[in-house]
Amino acid sequence: SVVSEGFDEEFSCVLPLGAAQEVVRLFNGVESEVTVTPQDSFITFQTDDVHFSSRLIDGSYPDYKQIIPKESKNIVLVPRDELVQACKILMVFLPRDSRRVEVVIEPKDGRLVVQVVGDGLGEGVAEVPIEGEGQPVRFLVNIHYLLEGIQHITGDVCRVGVSDEVSPVVITPKKSSGYTYVVMPIKQ
């Protein structure tokens, strides 16, 4: 459990990446209470055995919720493992200087197509069955970003929502778990 000292209200702060990773490493799975004490320019995390302090980054974290669409015109359910496998296979066809793939979602036909045209490496097309509603939509995306998001989905099925070729692609587990991954399409 977490006990906070020195404040009565909810607070937010920005930790340096290395410090955040260290907090997770030190306190993940700790069964005793972790005391969190924020100050003006630093914060401390403490248990009976461990004391960790870090400076804070000046400013506030950007409001990331502003870029996450509240609704999507196209919402489809995709078998997670099949989409991961399709992306990994297509990475073979990507030229070194590009990680761009085209994704075509066709809800009425029940398919999601990922395709790449490689310079001298050939062409690759992978099709994954889907269930969902909406109109056909086509967009370009960095395959590494897409793959990273779907690999962290828990469960067998992920939910993909997108409105058009320039709107953010929102990936979540089929069953709500609080995990939301957003991929921005590449403008053509």
Side-chain angles (χ1 to χ4, degrees), residues 86-132:
C87 289
K88 286 182 177 181
I89 290 170
L90 289 177
M91 289 178 72
V92 172
F93 298 101
L94 288 170
R96 291 179 196 236
D97 60 341
S98 176
R99 297 291 176 232
R100 183 179 5 197
V101 294
E102 183 178 51
V103 177
V104 181
I105 297 176
E106 298 175 329
K108 291 179 183 166
D109 294 336
R111 67 183 188 160
L112 180 146
V113 179
V114 184
Q115 52 195 12
V116 61
V117 177
D119 296 338
L121 298 175
E123 296 180 8
V125 177
E127 189 173 307
V128 178
I130 62 171
E131 294 177 15

